[in-house]
Amino acid sequence: MKKNYKNMILFLVVIFLFPLQVFAYSNKVILGGESVGIHIETPGVMVIGFYPVNGEYVKGTPEIQIGDLIIKVNQTQVSSISDLTSVIEKEIMNNEIELIVNRDHEEKKIKMTLEKVDGIYKTGLYVKDSITGIGTLTYIDPETKVYGALGHEILESTTSEIVEVKTGRIFESTITSINKSSTGVAGAKNANFNYKNIYGNILTNGSHGIYGIYEADLNTKVIEIANPDEIKIGKASIYTVLDGQEKKEYEIEITSIKEYSDVKNVTFEITDKELIEKTGGVVQGMSGSPIVQNDKLIGAVTHVIVDNPLTGYGIFITTMLETGDKYAE
């Protein structure tokens, strides 16, 4: 009996030495709701379409595809459209170039034959090397200065490919007007950007939002974080900007909670008359707007339900914080 008792004690001690994973993020954060401009530069030049040269489309071997990220021309690294055109002019031989593209995280070689039109070599490719847009700041961790925004990834509008980040920043944004949502049509915020007033950098663009280090002055007011089991069906609020830079609170009704969904954890309906009058429902640019219930931050707006724009989805704030914790210094 003594031998069995000792074995039991040893077993319990071993279990005690393996605690559950604990995340380091604070249980209080600075509440967001501010509109932010977003600018991301990609680690290469993204192909977003094609145009004909002398009546024909230029083809590569194997054929280049929309969404390919051009990273090299004739083994020379390119990271911008100006790099691409400069290298082509300097290194093209017999009207041929060799591209290295990143496709689905794999590098592929593509040989292309170009034509010279009016003294300029034409690739037949529509490309971009950066993306600019608008979103809403969700939170700032006052201890680490890590911020989270949007609550979902940024996709390139033409290709629907996730935008990879070489460098990026968030900056001052002023809402100038709203294109209202209607059944089947998602509206949008329109804004002027002040690129010089930078709020922070962008370290990553992923399925739970964009994250980086907030570099501007911090508000000292904080709000507690709610765990998913504290969220209830019923009244809540979102914080967002609809005019200028004025952040306001608007009423919503939480209608369902899906604990095991990745990002669409909360379904809500807008009930605030002022918000409905100004926007017609959830609009683009509202992504990241913090959701508050019982004086606690519970999540962020992520998607509109286009067939009924008065309704939308939100992500748990704990999911965003777990992702953002990876970028804490």
Side-chain angles (χ1 to χ4, degrees):
M1 293 295 292
K2 289 183 178 180
K3 184 176 180 180
N4 291 338
Y5 180 74
K6 289 179 180 179
N7 288 341
M8 183 179 294
I9 293 295
L10 177 62
F11 177 70
L12 291 174
V13 169
V14 170
I15 286 184
F16 180 75
L17 292 176
F18 291 90
L20 295 174
Q21 184 178 10
V22 177
F23 291 97
Y25 60 79
S26 174
N27 64 351
K28 292 183 179 180
V29 297
I30 297 169
L31 182 70
E34 293 83 0
S35 174
V36 292
I38 299 166
H39 182 80
I40 295 176
E41 296 177 1
T42 60
V45 180
M46 180 179 288
V47 178
I48 62 170
F50 308 98
Y51 64 88
V53 179
N54 289 335
E56 294 184 1
Y57 288 96
V58 178
K59 294 185 178 180
T61 307
E63 188 170 342
I64 197 164
Q65 297 180 10
I66 290 177
D68 284 349
L69 197 65
I70 302 170
I71 55 177
K72 291 182 181 179
V73 177
N74 293 351
Q75 299 302 313
T76 300
Q77 196 83 28
V78 295
S79 58
S80 67
I81 294 173
S82 61
D83 286 348
L84 179 67
T85 56
S86 176
V87 173
I88 288 175
E89 289 290 336
K90 290 177 181 178
E91 300 193 10
I92 191 168
M93 295 184 64
N94 300 321
N95 292 348
E96 287 188 349
I97 58 172
E98 181 183 78
L99 304 180
I100 304 294
V101 304
N102 188 321
R103 182 185 300 165
D104 298 328
H105 303 290
E106 291 185 9
E107 290 190 4
K108 296 184 180 293
K109 291 183 179 181
I110 298 175
K111 291 184 178 180
M112 296 183 67
T113 302
L114 309 186
E115 290 193 40
K116 204 169 189 177
V117 179
D118 297 328
I120 300 173
Y121 285 104
K122 298 290 186 178
T123 63
L125 305 175
Y126 288 119
V127 295
K128 67 166 52 176
D129 56 12
S130 64
I131 188 167
T132 300
I134 184 175
T136 303
L137 185 69
T138 305
Y139 74 89
I140 307 166
D141 188 317
E143 297 179 5
T144 65
K145 295 189 177 180
V146 172
Y147 75 84
L150 295 188
H152 61 72
E153 69 281 341
I154 297 175
L155 301 177
E156 200 287 316
S157 58
T158 306
T159 66
S160 296
E161 295 284 337
I162 190 166
V163 178
E164 294 187 46
V165 178
K166 180 182 71 174
T167 60
R169 58 192 181 274
I170 58 172
F171 44 86
E172 181 182 344
S173 170
T174 302
I175 303 301
T176 56
S177 62
I178 304 286
N179 297 335
K180 295 176 67 171
S181 288
S182 58
T183 302
V185 179
K189 296 182 181 183
N190 303 308
N192 288 333
F193 297 142
N194 181 358
Y195 295 95
K196 293 182 179 180
N197 190 7
I198 298 172
Y199 294 158
N201 61 15
I202 298 175
L203 298 176
T204 189
N205 169 35
S207 59
H208 299 152
I210 60 171
Y211 297 86
I213 305 300
Y214 199 82
E215 300 166 350
D217 292 337
L218 295 177
N219 182 357
T220 57
K221 187 177 180 180
V222 295
I223 186 171
E224 288 189 26
I225 296 302
N227 291 316
D229 59 4
E230 297 180 76
I231 303 170
K232 308 298 181 185
I233 302 294
K235 293 186 182 299
S237 299
I238 64 172
Y239 287 78
T240 198
V241 176
L242 300 182
D243 185 24
Q245 297 180 0
E246 183 184 10
K247 178 175 72 175
K248 292 183 65 175
E249 179 182 9
Y250 299 98
E251 293 180 357
I252 64 170
E253 185 86 7
I254 294 175
T255 57
S256 70
I257 302 166
K258 295 181 179 179
E259 185 175 350
Y260 299 105
S261 177
D262 184 33
V263 294
K264 296 179 179 179
N265 302 121
V266 173
T267 305
F268 65 88
E269 180 179 356
I270 294 176
T271 56
D272 193 287
K273 292 182 179 179
E274 180 185 352
L275 183 57
I276 295 171
E277 175 63 26
K278 288 185 175 182
T279 69
V282 181
V283 296
Q284 296 177 47
M286 201 178 282
S287 293
S289 298
I291 305 174
V292 173
Q293 187 180 62
N294 296 326
D295 296 321
K296 289 187 176 183
L297 179 58
I298 68 171
V301 175
T302 57
H303 298 82
V304 59
I305 300 176
V306 179
D307 290 341
N308 181 7
L310 291 179
T311 60
Y313 295 112
I315 185 174
F316 288 149
I317 191 59
T318 49
T319 301
M320 291 188 69
L321 285 164
E322 287 165 8
T323 302
D325 182 52
K326 299 174 185 176
Y327 302 96
E329 295 179 349

